[in-house]
Amino acid sequence: MEKPRVKCEVHDGIAEVMLMRGEKLNALDRAMFSAIDETLTQLAQLKGLRAVILHGEGRAFCAGLDVKSMLRQPVAALDILKREADEATNLAQRVAYGWHQLPVPVIAVTQGVCFGGGLQIALGADFRFSTPDCRFSVMEIKWGIIPDMSGSVTMRNLMGLDTAMELAMSGRELDAVEAKSLGMVSRVCADPLVEAREFARTLITKSPDALAGIKQLYSQAWARSDEAMLKEETRLQKQILGRPNQWRATFNSLFRWRLPFGPRRNAL
């Protein structure tokens, strides 16, 4: 039986998702695309989910597209770009942008290499914790193609247009320290998986409604007008105020003992 491409375990509301193709530096073949997509669908439907940690097996986070595999299966390569008329994303985009769409904080943990499609998957997360020696590259230019896994959307929220274009046009590699200086990495640390777990445990002590509202609000803020965002702030706040989780958060801040938070509201 073929080894699963993705492993997902959930404990105390925190899902740990591991890309399971370490012998290939977790490169993306057709089966990996499907496995990530299926995992995202399951997580989106999971009640009680509070945070996600995304990391790769072995020496790397993800080396990007498994080009040799795709060349052997040209139909599969085209298949991941197909989009139904009523869909905003295709399969290639969903495996990266899907992390951005989950209504909970997502932390990507990177080590080794984070190239091409792997980088776009990491950029779909809300935070990226990295080892100092991890290498990053918007590598698609190497194959004469453009970044097409939602990178044009997620990169614009992290850096200026000129920086994003320079990285995409040159395909050059950069280390985690430079990546952090450009906004691609949130935190550089010796053991990013340990720090991601600690951070996730901190987040699940907060109101899930407030966390979902912050993610929804800030995800829009860099692309919309001031007027639109000011209205969105008020709309989201009205949806959160007075709800059980908001009262629990206030009570927990005022008193020593902790009230557990209830389920996250499905829509804000």
Side-chain angles (χ1 to χ4, degrees):
M1 184 178 294
E2 191 175 26
K3 176 183 174 182
R5 291 292 194 265
V6 174
K7 180 172 74 173
C8 180
E9 296 180 344
V10 183
H11 300 286
D12 299 324
I14 301 173
E16 286 206 14
V17 179
M18 181 185 290
L19 306 181
M20 294 283 290
R21 206 174 176 225
E23 71 282 1
K24 296 290 187 180
L25 302 182
N26 298 310
L28 301 163
D29 63 356
R30 183 62 178 80
M32 180 76 90
F33 277 100
S34 295
I36 296 173
D37 191 39
E38 291 168 7
T39 300
L40 280 162
T41 299
Q42 294 167 4
L43 291 173
Q45 298 170 351
L46 185 61
K47 293 182 178 180
L49 182 66
R50 301 293 307 281
V52 176
I53 297 171
L54 173 64
H55 57 113
E57 177 187 56
R59 297 181 294 117
F61 175 72
C62 178
L65 191 68
D66 185 340
V67 176
K68 291 182 179 179
S69 170
M70 288 299 186
L71 288 176
R72 289 195 299 267
Q73 299 176 296
V75 175
L78 292 175
D79 183 59
I80 66 173
L81 299 179
K82 288 196 303 186
R83 179 188 287 106
E84 300 300 329
D86 59 343
E87 293 181 336
T89 55
N90 57 38
L91 176 58
Q93 293 165 333
R94 285 200 304 273
V95 302
Y97 196 68
W99 307 104
H100 176 78
Q101 292 178 304
L102 287 177
V104 299
V106 179
I107 310 156
V109 174
T110 66
Q111 80 282 359
V113 296
C114 186
F115 289 163
L119 175 57
Q120 291 181 83
I121 289 173
L123 292 175
D126 303 299
F127 309 97
R128 284 150 299 282
F129 290 10
S130 176
T131 58
D133 58 350
C134 185
R135 306 291 295 177
F136 299 83
S137 174
V138 186
M139 188 168 276
E140 283 78 6
I141 193 68
K142 177 179 178 179
W143 313 110
I145 58 177
I146 66 170
D148 64 346
M149 290 173 56
S150 78
S152 61
V153 174
T154 52
M155 288 183 75
R156 75 182 181 193
N157 292 339
L158 301 174
M159 63 189 69
L161 171 63
D162 56 342
T163 301
M165 288 183 63
E166 184 263 319
L167 293 175
M169 289 180 173
S170 68
R172 69 181 180 88
E173 293 184 24
L174 51 155
D175 62 20
V177 174
E178 183 180 2
K180 186 177 187 303
S181 73
L182 298 179
M184 292 170 64
V185 167
S186 312
R187 189 183 297 184
V188 178
C189 36
D191 197 331
L193 183 55
V194 168
E195 294 209 19
R197 287 168 174 161
E198 292 176 352
F199 183 48
R201 286 194 291 270
T202 299
L203 291 175
I204 65 173
T205 67
K206 315 299 183 185
S207 165
D209 295 346
L211 292 175
I214 290 169
K215 178 166 180 173
Q216 185 174 337
L217 182 68
Y218 280 58
S219 294
Q220 302 174 63
W222 275 251
R224 300 179 66 184
S225 69
D226 290 357
E227 181 181 1
M229 288 314 304
L230 292 169
K231 290 179 179 177
E232 184 70 355
E233 281 184 356
T234 303
R235 187 190 73 80
L236 288 171
Q237 191 74 297
K238 286 180 177 179
Q239 293 293 312
I240 293 170
L241 280 172
R243 300 290 180 178
N245 281 328
Q246 192 264 314
W247 283 113
R248 291 183 182 105
T250 300
F251 186 91
N252 290 345
S253 295
L254 293 174
F255 302 102
R256 290 186 177 180
W257 47 293
R258 292 282 185 233
L259 292 177
F261 289 107
R264 181 187 70 251
R265 295 198 69 205
N266 289 332
L268 290 175

